[in-house]
Amino acid sequence: MRAGEAYPVEVGCGLDVGALAAAALEVGDCALLTDSTVGPLYAGRVRRSLRAAGWRVLETVEVPAGEGSKSLAVYGEVLRRLARAGLMRDGALFALGGGVVGDLGGFVAASYMRGISLVMLPTTLLAMVDSSVGGKTGLDLPEGKNLVGAFLQPRLVAADLGFLESLPRRELSMGLAEVVKMGLLAGGRLFGALQRLAEALAGDAGALEELVLLSVSFKAGVVAEDERERGRRAILNYGHTVGHGLEAASGYGLAHGEAVAAGMVAEALLSRRVFGTDLVGLHERLLREAGLPVRVRGLEAAEVLGAMRRDKKRRGGEHRFVLLREVGRPVWGVEVGEEEALSAVEAVLEAA
């Protein structure tokens, strides 16, 4: 793919990470960032692959699994570990894990020594199809999600589908939320491939590979047109305006994929009101096939709306949404008033 500088995105089973990285950038010192769930399973294998290709692994930093590691405190500790290990500006950071590790590792790489090389090794379906590609990095603040961050394109993304074998069914569903989103945005072949959602949820390797490849290809094309999100790249936020509000209102106890699923239903309702095209039933059917909920329990609409008011996309006091005129025809920057936004949020909330 091409996004700013060209870099490869490799998708397959049993990838030789060390050799792929050696082909993409100069071999030298590196560090491995992972979390407490992924590290015990795969860090040893990745270190062996790197060393076999000539890499010098100076440090393996393991952070607690979960959204809480996207914090300034954890970020600072990772920087200090790299400094104590002696990693210099010509070194590389390998981010082995899901979206949290990728977001944290990306911001570490963007800022440590004013920028070092980054290699993404996504281990969840969600990270493979979404956060590992495109160059967005970020940390959360108590005031909201991803309020600190930078753009940094990785030098390589290596998505080994073998990592998905250890994922529970719910984690596959989290990734399929983004696949559904991109199918609705893209239309065409990717939308047609959504008929394989049930197969993918059951762990079928062929279905997973097809959906990952098509999703990455679509996102790569969008990012290549608009790397810094000044225009069309905004379409990738479909479902996320409400979704991020739901996450924040839950104290980040609600999983990202489940929040985005409900967010897409809410934004499909807004699309119906604005454009008159009823895609709500289609959204609900696809999301259920992916094993995802279409409603969220136990949250207050006022709290969700309060979190949405801190959304980076707001301008002049109005909420800005990505809406669907129809499948494959997204419209970004649609201004929606407070009452309409509140009504859409209320429609996807259920009493506890």
Side-chain angles (χ1 to χ4, degrees), residues 1-2 7-11 122 125-134 157 159 178-179 182 190 209-223:
M1 66 167 285
R2 178 173 294 275
Y7 63 90
V9 179
E10 301 286 346
V11 179
L125 181 58
L126 178 58
M128 288 179 185
V129 300
D130 185 39
S131 58
S132 68
V133 176
V157 177
E178 293 288 344
V179 171
M182 284 188 264
L190 177 49
E209 183 169 11
E210 180 179 13
L211 290 170
V212 170
L213 286 169
L214 290 174
S215 297
V216 168
S217 178
F218 172 70
K219 181 171 183 180
V222 172
V223 171

Side-chain angles (χ1 to χ4, degrees), residues 48-61:
R48 288 191 293 273
S49 176
L50 290 171
R51 287 171 176 151
W55 293 91
R56 293 178 294 277
V57 184
L58 302 183
E59 178 68 291
T60 297
V61 182

Side-chain angles (χ1 to χ4, degrees), residues 31 62 71 77 88 146 198 205 241 311 328 333:
E62 185 179 288
S71 69
E77 178 58 28
M88 302 303 291
N146 294 325
T241 300
D311 192 284

